[in-house]
Amino acid sequence: MKIPSTLFSASLCLPDNAMAFELSKEIRAAAPDQAVLETEDYSFDPIGFADAGGCELVVRDEAYGHWKAEWTDNQIETSPRNAVFDVLWQGRRLTLIVAQNQECGRNWIIVGPRIVDCEKFFAAVCRWNTCGDAAITVFDEGYFERDEELLEETRQSSLSDLALEPGIRRALEEDVLAFFDQREMYASSGLSWKRGVIFYGPPGNGKTQTIRAIVSQARASCIYVRSLWGYRLPPEGAIKRIYQRARETAPCIVVLEDIDTLVRENSRSYFLNELDGVRSLDGVMTIATTNHLDKLDIALKERPSRFDLKIEFPNPEAEMRAAYLGEPLCLTKLSSELATDVVRRTDGMSFAGLQEFVRATTAKHLRVLDLGRALEETLTAMGRPKAEKPKKKKKKSGSK
C-alpha cells in the first residue's frame, strides 16, 4: 500500500485516542480495500518476533521514520517511535505501522487484505511473546516480553549444581518442586491448588539462583516480575494483568524478587486480595524473596494461605564453608591448623562473599606463589585478621 506523506505529521500532535483514530482514518482513505487493526497491547512485539525468525520485517526507506536510540550494556539499542514496515508472514504480505507521541505508549496498526489475516498475525506475535516455547516471561514497566538471555541462564540452572544446606534442598524438592505433581491430592482434599513461598535471608546466599533452578526443573510456565510500575499502568493494573496471565498459563510460577520493594503500601491491599482470590489461582505458585523478613508486612508473612512456606537461606555454617572452599583453595593439602583457621575466619560470609574470597586468593596466589601467604593476605585485606593469642601471665617474683 502507498503510505500518505502526511501520515505522521498530521496525527502526532493529537491526543492519544485521537492520534490512533486519525492514523486509521488516513490509512483507510489511502487503501480502502485493506483491513486495518490497531492495538496498544503490551504483548505485541513484532520486532522481537522478527528477530526470532517468526516473520520478515523490512522498514520502508521511502517512508518517514523516527527511531529512538538508547545506550544499554555498552552498546546502542534502537527502537522505532514512528515507522512503516513491510511484513511477510506465512505467505501473507502485510503492512505494519508504529506511532508514538509524548502522551501514549506505542500504537501499532496492522494493515492487510483481510481482517482475519491481521488478527492471526496479531495473535501469533502475542502468543510467541508471552508463551511460545519459552519457560519464562518477564513483566517489566507494564509489558510482558521474552528475555532470551535470562531464558538461557534459567535453562542451564539445576538444584544439583547449587551449594545448599541439606534441609533447604529437601524443602525445595518436597515442598516446592513436588507441588506441580500434586494437583489431584489438593483436589481430593478440597484445597485450592496454589502455593505461596518466601525465600529469605542475607543477600548472596543463592535465592535468585535457586529460583532459576526451580523454574528450569518445574513443568510450569513462569512470570518473572521486574517492576509493577508502567507507563499509564498503575501497580493495581499490573498485578491484575500478571495474575490474569498466570491463570491463563497455569501451572505457572510468579516470581517477585525483593517483594518488600516491589509491593509497596499503596498497592499492598490489592496484591493481598489477588492472592486471597475471589478468582481461582489453581496451579499458581508465587515465589517471593526478601533480604529482610523482619521488615515485611505482617499481612504478607503471617497470614495463612498467602505465603505459608518460608525457607531461610542463611550464611553458610562452618561445615558448608569447608566444603565450599575445600577444592578451589586446596584446603585438604594445608595443615589442619591453617585449614581450620581459614574456615573460622570466614564465619559470617555469604556464599557470594566466599566466592569473592576464592577469586581474590587465587589471583594473589598466582603472584606470591605461597598459598598460605596468599590466604593470610587476602583474609587480612578483607578485614579478617587472626585472633590475638592470649598473653601468658608473667610469674610473680617474690622473696621467700
Side-chain angles (χ1 to χ4, degrees), residues 11-12 14-28 36 38-40 99 101 104 107-109:
S11 57
L12 291 181
L14 298 174
D16 181 12
N17 292 335
M19 183 190 77
F21 175 78
E22 187 65 28
L23 283 170
S24 297
K25 188 174 74 172
E26 284 202 48
I27 292 166
R28 286 191 173 93
V36 178
E38 185 264 337
T39 180
E40 295 177 69
N101 60 22
C104 71
N107 282 92
W108 293 96
I109 298 178

Side-chain angles (χ1 to χ4, degrees), residues 3 7-8 58-60 63-64 82-86 95-98:
I3 302 298
L7 179 67
F8 294 113
V58 180
V59 66
R60 288 200 185 181
Y64 172 77
N82 306 286
V84 180
F85 301 89
D86 289 320
T95 300
L96 187 63
I97 299 163
V98 60

Side-chain angles (χ1 to χ4, degrees), residues 251-318:
C252 179
I253 301 170
V254 176
V255 177
L256 302 165
E257 286 212 77
D258 297 316
I259 189 173
D260 39 321
T261 60
L262 269 180
V263 180
R264 300 174 186 173
E265 188 174 353
N266 60 347
S267 59
R268 188 178 300 128
S269 60
Y270 194 94
F271 175 69
L272 296 177
N273 288 336
E274 195 69 44
L275 287 185
D276 292 337
V278 175
R279 291 168 294 178
S280 170
L281 282 178
D282 264 13
V284 177
M285 172 179 281
T286 301
I287 301 180
T289 71
T290 179
N291 297 333
H292 309 285
L293 185 66
D294 56 323
K295 295 181 181 179
L296 206 59
D297 190 275
I298 193 169
L300 279 172
K301 65 182 179 181
E302 294 190 10
R303 168 87 179 257
S305 81
R306 289 174 180 167
F307 291 100
D308 48 3
L309 177 61
K310 302 173 191 66
I311 300 177
E312 183 181 8
F313 287 72
N315 290 330
E317 297 291 340

